[in-house]
Amino acid sequence: MTALTVPAEAKRLLIVDDEPAMHDSYARSFAPAAGADGALDAMAAELFGDEATSAVEDDAPQFALTHCHQGLDAVAAVEAALAAGTPYSVAFIDVRMPPGIDGRETARRIRALDPEINLVIVTGYSDFSPLEISKAAGPADKIFYIAKPFEVAEVVQTATALARRWEVDRELAAARALLAQQVVQLEEQGAELAANESRALHMATHDSLTDAPNRLAFLRALGERAKRPGLFATAMFDLDRFKLVNDTLGHLAGDALIREICAILHATAPEGAVVARLGGDEFGVLFDTPGEDAAVMACDRIVAACTGTHQVFGNSVQSGASAGVVVVEGDGCDPIDALRRADLALNDAKRQGRGVSRLFDESMDEGIRFRRRVEAGLGQAIEKGELSLVYQPIVSRDALEVLGFEALVRWNTAEYGPISPATFIPIAEESNVIHELGDWILDQALEMLKVFPGQYVSVNFSPRQFRRHNFVGHIMESVERAGVVPGRVQIEITETAIFDDAERAAETLYRLRQMGFRIALDDFGTGYSSLYNIRKFALDSLKIDRSFIDGMGRERESAAIVHSIIHLGRALGLEVIAEGVETEAQVQALRIAGASHLQGYFFSRPVPAEQAMALAVQRFLGEEAAGAPSPLHIAGGTHG
Ligand code: C2E
Ligand code: CA
Ligand code: CA
């Protein structure tokens, strides 16, 4: 076995043949000197013509040959070359090589060592069939055959082509390996990113000191639980005298106590409970419960477990806890309200002297107490004569003629002084008190109509009134009793009132209008009604909500909404009343935009009956408009 020393980029060929003469012939074929005047040149000239010779010459690979005379030597050479990292690209293998293993076996063993090498079997006609050798030393695309005796050019051409292919295959394999490695790296980076993300998420929803869910996570859990049916308890715990521990033993001791308490909560809370640190020394516990008694018992148990002596950094620390709990039915309740009530109950527990659990009851809630009193007070307000109506003129755009008045209710209570209808109407709306109230308001307004010289009165009806059984008959009866024509009564209802049950509302409005009542859609633009849908309803006017009038000078959106409501109203043949008009600039803008009626402090505040009468008789709002520059001199109007 002999090997030539050659440049590193030379292609390594393995020649396996038992006949020394054959080796000479190979050696001559691949002799480096063959360049300019040798076989390669001759072949190139033949293939590409004479001009191409030099190009081929430059490009022609150099070969380094290893000569083996026996199959086993060749196998050893392949093994050694692989080990050295300089594998062969092509092996030329003779088939018959007595006394050693034959070419087929040699090929099989070499293939077993090196899957990349190209094998060229040099056979006589009587030797194995190519198929047999391919089976032993495949794959077929890496085995080639040259018949003996061979031409020099044939061998060189084969070696050149196979060596190139081998090289390209290797480059490809290297590129693939690199790619695979990069894929692995990317996957690792992806995994790391995912881990970072879940760590960040964990940090955002967990308390760093105790690793318990934090307030945000608790609110989320509460929100989720509130959607499902069934009773659940929201409890809040607060450590008693925690500040004392912090102040006397330091913050580290305080932290240790917090962790200890958190562990106790986890251990003693009912199965499946969410235990969260809401902040400071405050904890929240959320659990399903069969009822209020069971919930209070669970809280008592936790409070008892928290109460006693704890060891903190070798110090004995006395601690205790208070709890507030509320039990509500899930299935759409308000989770924030549950937490608020639990907090109210906790405050009550602390007031009661700490170390106890308190169940929320409505007496703890100032807001609820107020509502109850308003409700009760409203029931007697009529009898006590605490209610009255005030009237605010609605004027025509140009002449500023008082065409009507909106009736607005006022309640002056002995206990709280005046209460705004914006406060008490929604409370009345939650009970049947609204009907009694509404009837009184309508009757009062109808009385006023009898004395007004021709204007209409616009009366507000809340959604509950509107949906009342036989609303139409009821109103008609009142109007007949008062002896007034329906055409002088405008019914103001809001979008919410009609769009909850649009079909029925459309029918009700249609009948009211048939009887001659005027219909105004109040607070228009604030609800969810599609502008397009309102054409289904029998209406006389749209009242643009005052928030848009207010925003007109400041925000593009408000101005745009005002304009589109006016356009829509006119397209549908409706009056458009702009309410809440406070400034001259607004009046001008609304006139230009095309509002047909105006209402607001700029012309007059809502005033008591007597003053309203005076305005009604005066008919036109000019110099007298309360404290304002004379609307009569506002530009852009044609009087008449
Ligand atoms: P609303 O129907 O939108 O009534 C218009 C409100 O705007 C009235 O407040 C009125 O005083 C006020 N307002 C009028 N012009 C201006 C202005 O230029 N600037 C400002 N900032 N406000 C102006 P009020 O009287 O406090 O009534 C509040 C709400 O209470 C009413 O809103 C209505 O929803 C309800 N309400 C009032 N009276 C009754 C009633 O008799 N029955 C029913 N069901 N609801 C009523
Ligand atoms: Ca109104
Ligand atoms: Ca309104």
Side-chain angles (χ1 to χ4, degrees), residues 211-543:
D211 205 40
N214 60 14
R215 178 177 285 270
L216 177 70
F218 191 69
L219 281 174
R220 266 196 211 157
L222 206 56
E224 284 307 311
R225 181 59 190 88
K227 289 182 200 153
R228 284 189 287 116
L231 290 177
F232 70 94
T234 307
M236 281 177 73
F237 292 82
D238 186 287
L239 294 192
D240 298 335
R241 289 174 301 270
F242 174 68
K243 198 176 169 311
L244 196 70
V245 176
N246 252 346
D247 291 349
T248 55
L249 298 175
H251 285 280
L252 286 179
D255 286 355
L257 181 60
I258 291 288
R259 270 197 292 258
E260 165 102 18
I261 294 291
C262 189
I264 293 174
L265 286 177
H266 270 291
T268 47
E271 179 116 11
V274 177
V275 175
R277 183 174 176 218
L278 304 180
D281 58 343
E282 212 172 78
F283 294 87
V285 181
L286 169 69
F287 55 95
D288 286 1
T289 182
E292 293 185 332
D293 291 347
V296 171
M297 266 166 64
C299 290
D300 283 344
R301 213 177 318 122
I302 296 173
V303 166
C306 292
T307 307
T309 311
H310 302 278
Q311 288 301 316
V312 173
F313 295 145
N315 295 296
S316 294
V317 174
Q318 285 294 325
S319 92
S322 307
V325 59
V326 64
V327 173
V328 291
E329 168 67 32
D331 218 358
C333 69
D334 178 0
I336 304 291
D337 197 52
L339 197 61
R340 192 182 63 85
R341 291 176 184 212
D343 195 29
L344 287 170
L346 174 60
N347 284 336
D348 199 68
K350 288 201 264 186
R351 268 199 302 274
Q352 294 296 309
R354 302 167 180 273
V356 294
S357 310
R358 299 290 290 177
L359 180 69
F360 172 82
D361 79 66
E362 294 192 345
S363 69
M364 296 171 186
D365 192 331
E366 176 59 33
I368 293 177
R369 277 206 300 271
F370 179 73
R371 287 179 89 87
R372 296 277 173 272
R373 275 193 224 158
V374 166
E375 232 172 66
L378 268 178
Q380 298 155 23
I382 298 173
E383 272 170 56
K384 289 188 182 165
E386 291 176 344
L387 292 175
S388 62
L389 290 191
V390 288
Y391 301 86
Q392 187 176 34
I394 298 169
V395 303
S396 65
R397 168 180 91 149
D398 297 321
L400 305 183
E401 181 182 358
V402 179
L403 300 177
F405 290 90
E406 177 173 3
L408 294 157
V409 68
R410 293 290 175 262
W411 183 19
N412 198 357
T413 64
E415 197 177 349
Y416 301 101
I419 298 179
S420 160
T423 303
F424 70 80
I425 292 286
I427 295 175
E429 168 81 2
E430 277 179 18
S431 70
N432 281 323
V433 177
I434 192 69
H435 296 309
E436 199 189 334
L437 193 64
D439 290 348
W440 182 86
I441 291 167
L442 180 60
D443 289 342
Q444 288 289 305
L446 293 174
E447 283 308 307
M448 198 61 185
L449 264 189
K450 292 188 203 162
V451 292
F452 278 149
Q455 288 87 354
Y456 64 83
V457 170
S458 201
V459 182
N460 293 283
F461 288 87
S462 74
R464 189 169 177 141
Q465 285 175 278
F466 184 69
R467 285 194 287 263
R468 183 184 192 173
H469 173 71
N470 194 22
F471 176 66
V472 178
H474 193 80
I475 288 209
M476 199 58 207
E477 204 179 292
S478 304
V479 170
E480 277 170 355
R481 199 180 331 115
V484 180
V485 289
R488 291 183 65 200
V489 178
Q490 176 163 278
I491 294 168
E492 286 195 20
I493 50 157
T494 58
E495 289 173 74
T496 26
I498 59 175
F499 285 96
D500 280 358
D501 184 353
E503 235 162 85
R504 187 165 157 226
E507 158 80 16
T508 306
L509 292 180
Y510 178 78
R511 286 175 52 209
L512 286 170
R513 202 134 173 277
Q514 286 289 86
M515 292 169 166
F517 291 99
R518 301 168 51 91
I519 315 283
L521 198 51
D522 202 1
D523 301 344
F524 192 69
T526 57
Y528 296 101
S529 54
S530 107
L531 292 177
Y532 181 75
N533 270 339
I534 65 158
R535 99 209 125 89
K536 294 190 193 138
F537 299 102
L539 301 173
D540 293 271
S541 56
L542 296 179
K543 294 191 82 169

